[in-house]
Amino acid sequence: MKILIAGGAGYIGSVVIPKVLDRGYQVDVVDLLWFGNQLPKEVNIKQTDIFDLHEKDLEGYDQVIFLAGLSNDPMAEFSPAKNFISNASSTAYLAYIAKRAGVKRFIYAGSCSVYGYTVNELYDETKPASSNYPYGISKLQGEQAVIQMQDENFSVIAFRQGTVSGYSPRMRLDLIVNTMFKTALATGEIIINNPSIWRPILSIQDAANAYVRAIEAAPAISGVFNIASGNYTVGEVADYVKEAVEKKLKKKVKLNIKNIQDFRNYKVSVEKAMNMLSFKPAHTVESILDDLIDNLDKFKDFDNPNYYNIQVFRKLN
Ligand SMILES: NC(=O)c1ccc[n+]([C@@H]2O[C@H](COP(=O)([O-])OP(=O)(O)OC[C@H]3O[C@@H](n4cnc5c(N)ncnc54)[C@H](O)[C@@H]3O)[C@@H](O)[C@H]2O)c1
C-alpha cells in the first residue's frame, strides 16, 4: 500500500509514520518543513505547499492522510485569514485532487475543538458541533468539506482528536500535558487557568494507533470519529503532573490555581471509534507522563522555539 501524508513531518506525523512503515506500507510526505524534519530516512519528502500539488501528483496513492495546516488556537488567532485558507481550503483541495486521482481513502486530522463550549455532557459525534473561534470553525469546515466527498469509491475517515500529548521526535511543548510537565520542571509551578473545565486528552501513541486502524479499516467504512485516551479536568491533569514530577523526578511542584473563564469545555465519547475501527485507547495521563520522563533528555532544551508552534509561525509571517 502506498500512502501520501501531508504535514507528515509535524508532531503527530513523526510518531505515526514509523508505525506505518513498520507495517510494510510505503509512505511519502508533502510538508513545508516549518519545524524541520525528524522522519526516518526511507521516507520520500517533498518540501512543498499542498496548494502546489496537482491531480497527477496524487496518482498511484491508495490513501492520503491530512496532518497539515495551522494546528492550534494561537496560530489561528495570529492570522485568522491564513488559518481559514490553510485549515479549510487546503484540506478540501487535497481531498478533491486525491479523489479525482483515484485515491481510495482520505484520513483527516480534525479536532474535538469543534465542540466549543458544551455543558457537562458526554458528546458523541451526533451532538451539535459549533465553535466561535477561528481554529474550531476552520477544523469543522475542513471536516465538512472532506466528509461530503465520500462515496462508494472514496472512503473518508475524519478524526476529531483530543489534545494530543506525549513525546515525539518533532516535539511540541504547547500542548496541555507537555506544557504542564515543562513548566513544572522549569519553574516548579503549574499555573491552572481553570481547574474545572474538561478536556479529552489523546496520548500520541494512541493517536498513532488510531491512524493505523483507519488505514486498515474495511473499505466501506467512512465517517466522523472522536478519538481520545480519556476525559480529564484540567485540575486533575495538573495533579497527575505534580505527582509524577515530585515522585519520579524529585522536584517539588506548586499549583497556582486561577479561575479564568475558558472558551473550550468538552468531554467526548469514543465508543463509535471503538465499535467501528476497533480503536482501543491504551494510555492515560499517567502513562503519557512516563513517556515524557523516559524521553526527557531529548527535549531538555525547553527554550527551543521549535517546540512552540506560535513562535515559529510568527517568524514565518
Ligand atoms: N496536536 C494536537 O493536539 C491536535 C489535536 C487535534 C487536531 N490536530 C490536528 O492534527 C494535525 C497535525 O497536528 P500536529 O500537532 O502534528 O501539527 P504540527 O504543527 O506539528 O505539524 C503540521 C505540519 O504541517 C506542515 N504544513 C502546514 N501547512 C502546510 C501546507 N499548506 N502544505 C504542506 N505542509 C504544511 C507543517 O510544516 C508541519 O510540519 C493538524 O491538522 C492539527 O490541526 C492536532
Side-chain angles (χ1 to χ4, degrees):
M1 167 135 52
K2 214 174 149 195
I3 304 170
L4 180 71
I5 308 191
Y11 171 71
I12 295 175
S14 299
V15 174
V16 168
I17 288 174
K19 282 203 197 246
V20 174
L21 291 172
D22 255 9
R23 298 181 85 78
Y25 305 138
Q26 186 191 323
V27 175
D28 294 344
V29 163
V30 169
D31 198 298
L32 288 168
L33 302 184
W34 285 342
F35 313 102
N37 166 32
Q38 282 78 32
L39 291 171
K41 297 218 168 354
E42 64 258 52
V43 179
N44 172 27
I45 302 167
K46 193 170 177 183
Q47 185 174 1
T48 191
D49 196 308
I50 288 170
F51 285 115
D52 292 326
L53 295 175
H54 301 283
E55 190 182 316
K56 64 171 175 19
D57 298 312
L58 278 289
E59 279 168 10
Y61 289 102
D62 301 290
Q63 301 198 11
V64 171
I65 303 180
F66 178 91
L67 293 176
L70 308 195
S71 46
N72 66 10
D73 287 292
M75 293 167 99
E77 268 144 41
F78 179 75
S79 179
K82 287 205 168 106
N83 168 71
F84 285 107
I85 291 167
S86 194
N87 285 359
S89 305
S90 80
T91 315
Y93 177 64
L94 185 64
Y96 169 73
I97 54 174
K99 185 172 179 178
R100 286 181 62 98
V103 170
K104 293 281 166 247
R105 167 163 288 150
F106 190 88
I107 302 172
Y108 170 65
S111 168
C112 284
S113 58
V114 300
Y115 291 123
Y117 201 97
T118 68
V119 282
N120 269 337
E121 201 186 329
L122 195 64
Y123 264 43
D124 66 21
E125 298 81 352
T126 64
K127 293 280 184 203
S130 81
S131 165
N132 290 323
Y133 296 90
Y135 181 69
I137 298 168
S138 67
K139 293 305 285 183
L140 188 57
Q141 285 184 303
E143 177 192 295
Q144 287 167 343
V146 299
I147 277 291
Q148 56 93 33
M149 285 184 226
Q150 73 189 45
D151 62 25
E152 64 279 14
N153 298 312
F154 189 62
S155 150
V156 177
I157 293 183
F159 284 153
R160 290 179 179 167
Q161 305 170 111
T163 300
V164 185
S165 288
Y167 172 72
S168 165
R170 188 267 119 166
M171 194 50 174
R172 283 185 65 179
L173 292 178
D174 55 1
L175 299 158
I176 174 167
V177 184
N178 297 9
T179 303
M180 284 191 186
F181 178 74
K182 185 262 317 194
T183 49
L185 279 177
T187 66
E189 183 180 75
I190 302 173
I191 297 171
I192 305 156
N193 283 339
N194 188 329
S196 51
I197 55 163
W198 286 92
R199 279 286 185 286
I201 305 287
L202 175 58
S203 134
I204 195 156
Q205 299 298 332
D206 280 339
N209 288 333
Y211 283 94
V212 170
R213 294 282 85 81
I215 290 166
E216 295 178 355
I221 290 184
S222 278
V224 176
F225 297 90
N226 291 338
I227 300 287
S229 301
N231 296 297
Y232 295 82
T233 66
V234 172
E236 188 186 7
V237 173
D239 283 341
Y240 283 121
V241 176
K242 175 177 161 68
E243 193 181 317
V245 171
E246 290 189 341
K247 273 205 185 132
K248 296 179 179 158
L249 298 171
K250 310 286 176 226
K251 183 167 170 101
K252 193 92 192 103
V253 178
K254 210 173 86 200
L255 299 183
N256 180 352
I257 300 176
K258 315 212 178 238
N259 273 299
I260 299 170
Q261 187 58 27
D262 197 299
F263 58 80
R264 293 200 280 152
N265 180 44
Y266 37 76
K267 46 186 168 175
V268 301
S269 159
V270 296
E271 221 172 317
K272 185 178 173 191
M274 291 172 87
N275 291 337
M276 286 182 68
L277 300 175
S278 200
F279 165 68
K280 293 190 182 65
H283 292 272
T284 59
V285 167
E286 285 156 297
S287 68
I288 292 171
L289 288 160
D290 287 339
D291 180 33
L292 292 174
I293 291 170
D294 289 346
N295 290 288
L296 179 56
D297 282 344
K298 300 175 199 152
F299 62 92
K300 256 187 170 161
D301 51 335
F302 294 151
D303 291 333
N304 186 336
N306 252 358
Y307 300 158
Y308 307 89
N309 279 20
I310 187 64
Q311 291 192 25
V312 173
F313 193 59
R314 261 199 217 111
K315 278 201 193 125
L316 287 169
N317 287 278

